[in-house]
Amino acid sequence: MATTNAPELLTTQFATPEEGRSLFDAAARRELGMSGEEFIRRWDQGEFRDALNGPEHVKLMRLVMLMPFGRQDA
Amino acid sequence: LAGRTPERAVEEILDVFRRVALCITDRPVLASGYRPSSASHSLSFAPRGEPVLLASDGRRRRIGLFFSHLFRLVAVGPGSADRWRVRSAGYVFDALDPDGREILTYHWHPEAAGPDYAHLHLSGRLAPLDAGQGFEPVALGEPHLPTERITFAAIVRLLITEFRIAPQRSDWAVGLDQADRAERRIWID
């Protein structure tokens, strides 16, 4: 087993608003084939509530968890 | 975990999650922010929140790991030198095959729809179990199977010990035990 105990990359990393929106946009396109902006708009309109109990549940939950990245203000 | 400033409090939990991640990957962990708010912040893998693909020794098995952890910042009473604490608000841990299909999914999302308790989803690709002649088969991929709240450290330990994912550090077991205890300190209600 090739293991090491160094180096440790523990520099602080907070996403800037642009980085956060880019992260969430990439996730929304990866999971559901739509932009992050479109997902947040449709989520806020309650469009995905029923889908949370369906086969897309796991993908939707990944996006729900990442949504704070996409909601960062400029 | 606590800090004199909101930023420092989040750095504390980021440090714990990074130490866990470093047991299996070089991928950094990113936070969506540290400003106190009624809305949650999120942690996930940089740069795009995508799963990290992990390999076993000899690369005979590959497992994708997605994680995201929601948290809030909570002001502590004036008597404390550390004025801000991080409070856990939910998580998703997914073990995936190399094509991104779910193997195991650990959920706790008390503020979203569905059950508010921590639970496990088995892969929806598991064939329904025969439950006896004349009775409906049991689809194991459908139920929300209740669990205790689970830590990122426990998930990484599971991947190393049960899925035989190759650790990147020789002291991973000690590191994960320490991180497990640290993570549980943000489970304040």
Side-chain angles (χ1 to χ4, degrees):
Chain A
M1 182 172 69
T3 57
T4 61
N5 289 336
E8 294 187 347
L9 306 172
L10 297 178
T11 54
T12 301
Q13 275 206 68
F14 295 103
T16 64
E18 293 75 20
E19 289 168 340
R21 288 193 294 272
S22 174
L23 181 154
F24 189 71
D25 187 69
R29 292 179 190 279
R30 184 172 66 239
E31 301 291 354
L32 295 180
M34 67 180 71
S35 71
E37 192 176 351
E38 179 183 358
F39 179 82
I40 288 174
R41 178 176 49 78
R42 291 169 64 177
W43 173 266
D44 289 344
Q45 291 170 349
E47 194 172 319
F48 296 110
R49 287 205 184 112
D50 291 342
L52 278 170
N53 296 315
E56 299 290 305
H57 169 77
V58 174
K59 290 181 175 184
L60 282 169
M61 285 314 305
R62 283 199 281 264
L63 290 180
V64 170
M65 291 288 148
L66 294 175
M67 208 150 31
F69 285 100
R71 289 194 187 276
Q72 292 195 77
D73 296 328
Chain B
L1 297 174
R4 289 179 183 276
T5 65
E7 183 176 12
R8 186 64 201 135
V10 178
E11 284 174 346
E12 289 281 331
I13 190 64
L14 258 174
D15 186 65
V16 172
F17 276 75
R18 283 211 176 101
R19 287 179 184 279
V20 173
L22 278 168
C23 290
I24 50 170
T25 180
D26 292 328
R27 186 86 70 81
V29 174
L30 195 62
S32 64
Y34 56 83
R35 289 189 175 83
S37 162
S38 59
S40 297
H41 290 294
S42 180
L43 303 177
S44 192
F45 284 124
R48 297 187 178 275
E50 69 271 54
V52 59
L53 192 57
L54 309 166
S56 63
D57 278 337
R59 300 188 170 272
R60 294 176 57 85
R61 175 176 288 155
R62 292 198 156 209
I63 300 285
L65 172 64
F66 171 88
F67 101 90
S68 183
H69 197 115
L70 293 180
F71 66 90
R72 285 214 178 86
L73 283 149
V74 182
V76 182
S80 171
D82 291 328
R83 295 183 180 178
W84 295 93
R85 292 193 66 176
V86 169
R87 175 187 289 173
S88 182
Y91 59 68
V92 166
F93 301 115
D94 294 337
L96 308 163
D97 74 10
D99 294 326
R101 298 175 299 182
E102 292 79 23
I103 299 171
L104 297 174
T105 296
Y106 288 90
H107 280 179
W108 177 52
H109 42 74
E111 295 167 8
D116 61 0
Y117 53 84
H119 56 274
L120 166 67
H121 294 281
L122 301 177
S123 171
R125 290 177 291 136
L126 288 173
L129 286 181
D130 181 353
Q133 191 170 8
F135 296 99
E136 285 186 358
V138 176
L140 288 175
E142 291 179 4
H144 301 82
L145 305 169
T147 65
E148 299 291 326
R149 282 196 224 172
I150 195 160
T151 63
F152 189 34
I155 295 295
V156 170
R157 188 188 298 119
L158 169 76
L159 292 173
I160 294 172
T161 60
E162 305 297 330
F163 288 79
R164 300 197 299 279
I165 293 303
Q168 291 207 136
R169 299 174 61 92
S170 58
D171 62 349
W172 61 268
V174 173
L176 292 181
D177 285 347
Q178 291 171 345
D180 187 82
R181 288 193 292 275
E183 280 187 67
R184 290 171 189 276
R185 292 204 292 273
I186 64 170
W187 288 354
I188 55 172
D189 291 320

